[in-house]
Amino acid sequence: MRGFAESMIICVSLNSHESDGFIGVNIGTDLSDMPDPTQVVALLKAQQIRHVRLYDADRAMLLALANTGIRVTVSVPNDQLLGIGQSNATAANWVSRNVIAHIPATNITAIAVGSEVLTTLPNAAPVLVSAMNFIQSALVASNLASQIKVSTPHSSSIILDSFPPSQAFFNRTLEPVMVPLLKFLQSTGSFLMLNVYPYYDYVQSNGAIPLDYALFRPLPPTKEAVDRNTLLHYTNVFDAVVDAAYFAMSYLNFTNIPIIITESGWPSKGDSSEPDATLDNANTYNSNLIRHVLNNTGTPKHPGIALSTYIYELYNEDLRPGSISEKNWGLFNANGVPVYILHLTGSGTVLANDTTNQTYCVAKEGADKKLLQAALDWACGPGKVDCNPLMQGNPCYDPDTVVAHASYAFDAYYHKMGMTDGTCDFNGVATVTTSDPSHNSCIFPGSGGRNRTTTNGTSLAPSSNSTVSGCHSQYLNEKGVLFNSITLGLMLWGVAFL
């Protein structure tokens, strides 16, 4: 489960209709080079992200989000919960300072009160519902209750006996809080926020949960988990955990409260004890999850019901304590370059990072100039790239540096080869970026007039495992951004099923 500390959650809506599910992205701030709010917003806009959730109500971020149309969820941090839960005036002041002061310029649509309070901050549990009520009262007084919803994210660990889902129930010691909390959500038309992490369910199951079941991979009917009470078939951990929450609410006689998944994903890297934290698994999980959500598949208990989900997380957090995997849940590096590219062809998503349509191949920052020159020679020779724009007097001659010229040639080859894996490496001196490197009248191949046809006989770009060779070239270059195309991912926490 993820803590509130010094983090923010950014939700990414990939649909234009509120009845559709959307994909969100959590953003932690434990980075040695955390982008400033204007850079974060620039990334959101470049990726066409339309929903954002912050772990706090950071003023600079809210100002940066103003006049963007992006829907924003602000949060009451856990360390402010006790004060707000004990004072209506404190809650009203919080709403005035962090919500009213920013609307309508900043499109605030929800408030998350605390994060996993019942499991991480039990001493505040008795005031959680009062804090939500006080925040709601302040919204009502300001005529904002119809446009701003109030809820609180929960760890899925509050659900016990979760498989089969039909017999699940909330930890009974929490019922004195859960019952009034669910009444609040029902009466205000809000939703239950739930953090779901199938990765941890899989890891902690000691082999009882198949990897394919955690990753949404297709299962033969004989391998599907069947709820013996309802005869519903479950093909993935995610759906089973969500339905367990639905059944747990039903056990308390609440049957009409929708669920939003506030955290879910898969780590792309781990240490020797975390062999399944890989780029391939992260890509597989997150790509399949996104399809599942955006197709409005729903769950076996509620088929076709939209289930919006927030990916954990936007950035890799290199300063986060713990295992290697804890630092590698991100979709992007701090410079805005994707950690990997989601495989979502035909999914209809507008998140630019999930396709290769808006990526470019450029020289890697700090790359050895001799290796860059050799790679440039190869691209303009055996690689059969049209390097005429780099000739003196042509649009891309200036700046006359090896980095600038190599970047153009690399991008031309990358797009010539259809942006497939391994075509932006050039012995380790090239990298993928989402920032358009075009400048002045020099328009890079990836920016316009893309040639995505692979010509028979065209050589593959030299990789880090091959030897670069080629003719001497008069094409130089000098500027780059580091980046490896991989696959985007999300992370879900679930409950052991078998």
Side-chain angles (χ1 to χ4, degrees):
M1 297 32 162
R2 315 306 295 183
F4 233 121
E6 304 180 22
S7 296
M8 63 185 80
I9 289 183
I10 291 190
C11 319
V12 183
S13 175
L14 306 182
N15 295 279
S16 58
H17 305 293
E18 288 305 301
S19 60
D20 292 335
F22 63 80
I23 287 293
V25 178
N26 296 276
I27 296 184
T29 56
D30 286 335
L31 288 78
S32 55
D33 189 20
M34 179 66 196
D36 64 40
T38 57
Q39 292 173 310
V40 174
V41 172
L43 178 62
L44 298 176
K45 293 168 75 173
Q47 299 295 314
Q48 303 183 51
I49 293 168
R50 306 305 305 161
H51 285 63
V52 174
R53 176 175 175 250
L54 309 180
Y55 257 127
D56 52 19
D58 181 76
R59 182 174 181 272
M61 180 60 71
L62 290 173
L63 290 174
L65 286 163
N67 303 310
T68 62
I70 295 172
R71 289 170 166 265
V72 182
T73 295
V74 294
S75 299
V76 176
N78 282 355
D79 61 6
Q80 297 180 31
L81 189 60
L82 284 173
I84 288 176
Q86 294 173 335
S87 169
N88 200 350
T90 300
N93 287 336
W94 191 94
V95 170
S96 176
R97 183 175 64 255
N98 298 300
V99 178
I100 298 173
H102 294 282
I103 57 173
T106 303
N107 188 17
I108 298 173
T109 58
I111 300 173
V113 181
S115 179
E116 298 192 347
V117 174
L118 301 183
T119 49
T120 64
L121 197 65
N123 64 311
V127 301
L128 176 59
V129 177
S130 63
M132 296 170 70
N133 274 307
F134 288 156
I135 293 290
Q136 179 72 14
S137 295
L139 294 176
V140 170
S142 302
N143 295 317
L144 295 173
S146 62
Q147 68 186 70
I148 301 177
K149 297 300 180 183
V150 177
S151 189
T152 183
H154 298 285
S155 164
S156 62
S157 66
I158 67 172
I159 304 167
L160 303 182
D161 204 8
S162 58
F163 200 87
S166 62
Q167 68 185 33
F169 57 92
F170 293 117
N171 186 328
R172 292 200 168 95
T173 64
L174 301 177
E175 285 187 9
V177 177
M178 286 304 299
V179 171
L181 190 153
L182 293 172
K183 285 182 178 178
F184 171 88
L185 299 179
Q186 186 177 63
S187 66
T188 61
S190 191
F191 34 77
L192 180 74
M193 291 178 169
L194 188 67
N195 297 341
V196 180
Y197 287 98
Y199 170 75
Y200 287 108
D201 291 322
Y202 164 73
V203 169
Q204 296 164 8
S205 74
N206 295 318
I209 294 177
L211 180 61
D212 287 349
Y213 190 51
L215 293 174
F216 287 92
R217 284 178 176 150
L219 296 173
T222 56
K223 295 292 186 180
E224 294 177 358
V226 180
D227 186 322
R228 60 180 177 270
N229 300 315
T230 62
L231 300 184
L232 293 173
H233 286 236
Y234 289 88
T235 60
N236 61 80
V237 173
F238 179 85
D239 282 352
V241 175
V242 174
D243 272 0
Y246 280 129
F247 278 108
M249 286 194 288
S250 179
Y251 182 85
L252 295 177
N253 296 315
F254 295 93
T255 58
N256 59 350
I257 299 174
I259 293 175
I260 284 185
I261 306 304
T262 38
E263 295 179 12
S264 189
W266 199 281
S268 61
K269 185 178 181 181
D271 57 33
S272 58
S273 66
E274 303 167 304
D276 295 298
T278 66
L279 288 170
D280 183 60
N281 286 345
N283 182 45
T284 298
Y285 177 83
N286 293 328
S287 297
N288 287 338
L289 173 63
I290 290 173
R291 291 190 193 95
H292 191 65
V293 171
L294 298 186
N295 290 339
N296 293 317
T297 305
T299 66
K301 178 172 171 58
H302 291 297
I305 301 299
L307 190 64
S308 297
T309 299
Y310 305 139
I311 300 171
Y312 187 84
E313 62 182 329
L314 189 61
Y315 295 116
N316 273 339
E317 296 183 273
D318 61 311
L319 299 181
R320 191 169 181 85
S323 65
I324 292 177
S325 68
E326 280 298 305
K327 309 173 192 295
N328 288 280
W329 294 89
L331 307 178
F332 292 88
N333 292 307
N335 62 1
V337 170
V339 174
Y340 47 85
I341 306 298
L342 284 173
H343 297 317
L344 293 174
T345 302
S347 68
T349 176
V350 298
L351 183 63
N353 187 31
D354 63 12
T355 73
T356 50
N357 289 339
Q358 296 182 21
T359 58
Y360 310 86
C361 183
V362 297
K364 186 179 293 187
E365 186 125 15
D368 182 272
K369 299 297 177 58
K370 291 183 179 179
L371 292 178
L372 279 175
Q373 182 65 59
L376 173 59
D377 292 344
W378 185 93
C380 294
K384 300 183 180 180
V385 165
D386 178 9
C387 291
N388 282 322
L390 300 175
M391 298 294 290
Q392 188 169 5
N394 287 341
C396 297
Y397 175 75
D398 290 321
D400 183 14
T401 65
V402 67
V403 170
H405 285 201
S407 289
Y408 179 90
F410 292 173
D411 191 60
Y413 181 83
Y414 176 59
H415 286 275
K416 178 184 180 69
M417 299 301 293
M419 298 169 285
T420 55
D421 290 346
T423 58
C424 183
D425 184 272
F426 293 92
N427 259 6
V429 297
T431 186
V432 177
T433 181
T434 55
S435 299
D436 189 345
S438 300
H439 52 88
N440 299 324
S441 61
C442 178
I443 306 302
F444 273 51
S447 181
R450 293 184 176 87
N451 176 9
R452 304 191 63 172
T453 303
T454 302
T455 305
N456 289 338
T458 299
S459 303
L460 285 176
S463 69
S464 56
N465 296 320
S466 64
T467 301
V468 176
S469 62
C471 59
H472 216 343
S473 172
Q474 63 260 58
Y475 312 115
L476 292 175
N477 221 255
E478 192 140 328
K479 170 161 187 6
V481 180
L482 171 64
F483 169 143
N484 280 330
S485 298
I486 327 168
T487 295
L488 257 176
L490 319 177
M491 163 183 173
L492 291 174
W493 302 67
V495 181
F497 283 66
L498 302 174

